[in-house]
Amino acid sequence: MAPRLRSLRSPLAILDTRTGTALAPTVSEQDRKRRFDETRGSARQRGYDRDWEKLRDAIVIERGCRCALCGTVVVLRKREATALTPVAEVDHITSIQEAPELRLERSNLRVLCRPCHSARTARDQGFARG
């Protein structure tokens, strides 16, 4: 008679088909991202204050509302965004963690569209695939 399967302790656990027991749970990418977000502070705590908001808007306008990587036209506000014109995100070329003194330095900033910024962030924080 085949061994009876026991319930898994975690929905992410892997079942050993030979013994019918649950192996150590695997950690999903979504769980990794959630844990990462829990450890970092709020936007204000990370340095995105009123001074940053003013500088961000000025950078987007003076650099022509275009993504520096792909050239897509971007908009300042989320409410103005469409499928063809994503929201502008101002990226720190050298991160605030690496060089806090460059937080408001114009030469350390570039305008990116949301897809390009998300891809760069995923690579930098280890969430990129492949």
Side-chain angles (χ1 to χ4, degrees), residues 72-73 75 77-87:
T72 300
V73 174
V75 295
R77 304 283 173 248
K78 193 182 261 186
R79 67 181 175 270
E80 300 165 349
T82 67
L84 298 176
T85 55
V87 175

Side-chain angles (χ1 to χ4, degrees), residues 20-94:
T21 60
L23 301 175
T26 59
V27 178
S28 73
E29 186 174 339
Q30 188 175 19
D31 286 340
R32 254 184 352 128
K33 288 179 182 179
R34 183 182 43 76
R35 279 199 310 273
F36 177 78
D37 284 342
E38 288 171 356
T39 61
R40 64 188 199 159
S42 69
R44 294 277 186 236
Q45 291 169 330
R46 293 189 323 256
Y48 298 104
D49 54 10
R50 187 72 189 130
D51 292 336
W52 164 254
E53 290 170 4
K54 284 189 227 175
L55 178 60
R56 175 203 174 280
D57 290 352
I59 292 289
V60 172
I61 292 166
E62 79 183 28
R63 303 217 177 144
C65 295
R66 288 204 176 266
C67 176
L69 298 181
C70 70
T72 300
V73 174
V74 293
V75 295
L76 267 176
R77 304 283 173 248
K78 193 182 261 186
R79 67 181 175 270
E80 300 165 349
T82 67
L84 298 176
T85 55
V87 175
E89 297 195 5
V90 176
D91 177 51
H92 288 90
I93 298 166
T94 303

Side-chain angles (χ1 to χ4, degrees), residues 114-128:
R114 177 160 280 169
C116 287
H117 190 251
S118 295
R120 180 189 193 261
T121 302
R123 277 192 311 274
D124 291 353
Q125 295 176 354
F127 294 123

